[in-house]
Amino acid sequence: MSLPLVTTAERRHRLGRRHRLAPSAHAATVAEAADSVVALHATDAATVFLSARARLTEGGPDAIERALYEDVSLVRLLSMRNTLFAVSAELAPYVDASTARAIAAKERRTLLKHLDEDGQGLDAAWLADAEAAALDALDTHGPSTGSQLSAAVPALRQKITISRGKKYEAEQGVATRVIRLLAADGRIRRARPRGSWTSSQYRWVHTEPWPAIPAAEARTEITRRWLRAYGPATEADLKWWTGWTLTDVRKALAAVGPDQVRLEDGSTALVSPGDTGTEPAPGPWAALLPALDPTAMGWADRGFHLDPTHRSALFDYAGNIGPTVWWNGEIVGGWAQRSDGEIVWRLLGNPGRAAEQAITTEAARLAAWVGEARITPRFRTPLERELVA
């Protein structure tokens, strides 16, 4: 029995609809925008806002700030690939149990190892006291930056020596590590930053850890949602995206029971159970997505939406993608913002006049949305640098 065929055009139709990038599929809420791609990359503060903007029917930066800091329908978690993501509050317990718990345990082991090697007698009991003092300070003073917490908690001003006796020996303060550990454990979360929505200088607030969910159950739920958003995809894609072990990936896939499909190159891929039908074309659409947008980073193999010859212009040396221009489910160029606020872009190829007109309109819409804010990606890429210059 032959497998259903999913063409490249069909994959791009799915991307436009399921990632809510086509105007006819835009999300009504920020949480829905995040859920459409499972999680929004959050290493760069601006990415969360610009990724959500591209998928929303309406609303400016203030709508996303409300979701993050007031109704807390969107939260940042250190999770997949040991990277910061923003996910809906509904999905957060599953992300926490499937991925973040293991990261938090590793973070704790690493810090305790450094404390022991430092030789000052700092141990697990000292760390527990420092964490408790930090939480008490947040309860007393309210949302606080790392420097404000250090000022309020003497233990956070402690310094330790990392890699003592080695060529790369360095003295470090413990404040950043303790705060990172509290965040990884879900006992504090990032609140409104100092400065604008593009700032990463967050204040912190005391919060309750997420409800406990069995890790296997959580990985199954993440896999189910990921297949719905990113299928057709492969076992290797899921392993890359999550950072899970191959054993955990295979167990989660077995629990979901995906269907197999055939791609145009003759290879096979996985989709959600029963998700082998065709996706209606969503109509012409253009999008300007930020650096590290999840649609550009959702698969280990991105050949269906990116011409490999354009990779060197759009990615940095570590594999981080910069700001991209999309036309009907394909990356056709890159964009940047200059110091005067102008949004500039360049096509890599010739997608046609209709594409250029739609991209021009979308660039103007983005410029109006960004307003006086200035966007410089944390990971800069060759094309982005050229456009700014």
Side-chain angles (χ1 to χ4, degrees):
M1 180 177 175
S2 61
L3 297 174
L5 173 66
V6 177
T7 65
T8 298
E10 165 70 10
R11 295 185 76 181
R12 293 174 181 171
H13 292 166
R14 288 175 177 234
L15 188 152
R17 284 187 178 276
R18 298 186 184 184
H19 288 212
R20 295 189 179 272
L21 291 169
S24 59
H26 281 177
T29 69
V30 178
E32 289 173 351
D35 280 341
S36 70
V37 286
V38 187
L40 302 175
H41 205 293
T43 301
D44 192 329
T47 294
V48 175
F49 285 78
L50 298 179
S51 289
R53 178 210 70 88
R55 296 168 170 87
L56 286 171
T57 300
E58 60 184 3
D62 57 320
I64 302 166
E65 288 182 309
R66 283 196 300 273
L68 284 165
Y69 309 126
E70 295 176 23
D71 61 42
V72 196
S73 58
L74 190 71
V75 294
R76 295 180 176 94
L77 292 178
L78 186 64
S79 49
M80 286 72 71
R81 304 192 306 282
N82 203 18
T83 299
L84 193 65
F85 282 88
V87 303
S88 69
E90 176 196 0
L91 188 60
Y94 295 93
V95 173
D96 179 67
S98 69
T99 310
R101 290 294 85 238
I103 292 173
K106 184 177 180 181
E107 291 277 331
R108 184 169 296 278
R109 289 194 301 270
T110 299
L111 180 52
L112 287 173
K113 180 174 179 286
H114 288 322
L115 293 177
D116 180 61
E117 292 175 346
D118 183 55
Q120 296 186 60
L122 307 181
D123 56 13
W126 178 89
L127 177 57
D129 288 342
E131 291 175 302
L135 296 177
D136 287 343
L138 289 175
D139 290 340
T140 300
H141 302 292
S144 304
T145 64
S147 59
Q148 289 170 332
L149 274 176
S150 293
V153 180
L156 296 185
R157 300 195 291 272
Q158 178 74 44
K159 293 185 180 297
I160 59 175
T161 300
I162 305 296
S163 303
R164 188 182 297 277
K166 297 182 179 179
K167 186 161 55 175
Y168 43 87
E169 174 183 313
E171 187 178 66
Q172 296 182 357
V174 301
T176 299
R177 289 177 175 270
V178 173
I179 290 170
R180 180 180 173 89
L181 184 54
L182 286 168
D185 274 338
R187 291 190 284 170
I188 62 174
R189 64 171 174 81
R190 292 164 179 81
R192 195 177 294 274
R194 296 181 62 185
S196 76
W197 54 269
T198 63
S199 172
S200 295
Q201 295 184 6
Y202 299 107
R203 296 176 175 89
W204 298 92
V205 294
H206 189 180
T207 190
E208 291 299 317
W210 297 104
I213 296 174
E217 177 187 331
R219 285 191 289 268
T220 299
E221 177 64 12
I222 297 298
T223 298
R224 184 185 67 79
R225 294 189 184 219
W226 184 86
L227 277 173
R228 180 64 184 169
Y230 293 93
T234 65
E235 177 185 271
D237 290 329
L238 179 59
K239 183 179 184 301
W240 176 84
W241 190 87
T242 58
W244 300 339
T245 67
L246 183 57
T247 297
D248 285 340
V249 166
R250 288 176 173 170
K251 286 181 178 179
L253 284 170
V256 172
D259 287 341
Q260 280 196 328
V261 296
R262 180 169 53 90
L263 304 180
E264 284 184 318
D265 64 2
S267 64
T268 59
L270 305 173
V271 295
S272 298
D275 189 22
T276 57
T278 59
E279 188 89 22
W285 60 273
L288 272 65
L289 300 184
L292 300 176
D293 186 86
T295 298
M297 299 281 287
W299 303 261
D301 178 9
R302 300 158 192 149
F304 81 97
H305 68 53
L306 172 65
D307 185 330
T309 61
H310 300 156
R311 187 178 180 90
S312 61
L314 296 171
F315 286 79
D316 71 4
Y317 71 94
N320 300 302
I321 198 166
T324 49
V325 175
W326 293 70
W327 175 243
N328 291 342
E330 183 180 10
I331 297 176
V332 295
W335 66 273
Q337 184 188 38
R338 292 182 174 155
S339 59
D340 63 358
E342 181 186 7
I343 301 295
V344 291
W345 48 276
R346 181 187 302 167
L347 295 179
L348 300 172
N350 182 21
R353 184 172 181 81
E356 291 191 37
Q357 292 175 337
I359 292 164
T360 299
T361 300
E362 182 61 20
R365 192 172 79 90
L366 173 61
W369 195 92
V370 169
E372 297 301 313
R374 296 295 176 263
I375 311 297
T376 301
R378 178 169 296 188
F379 305 105
R380 305 194 66 186
T381 53
L383 180 54
E384 188 270 337
R385 290 180 181 274
E386 288 180 27
L387 290 172
V388 169

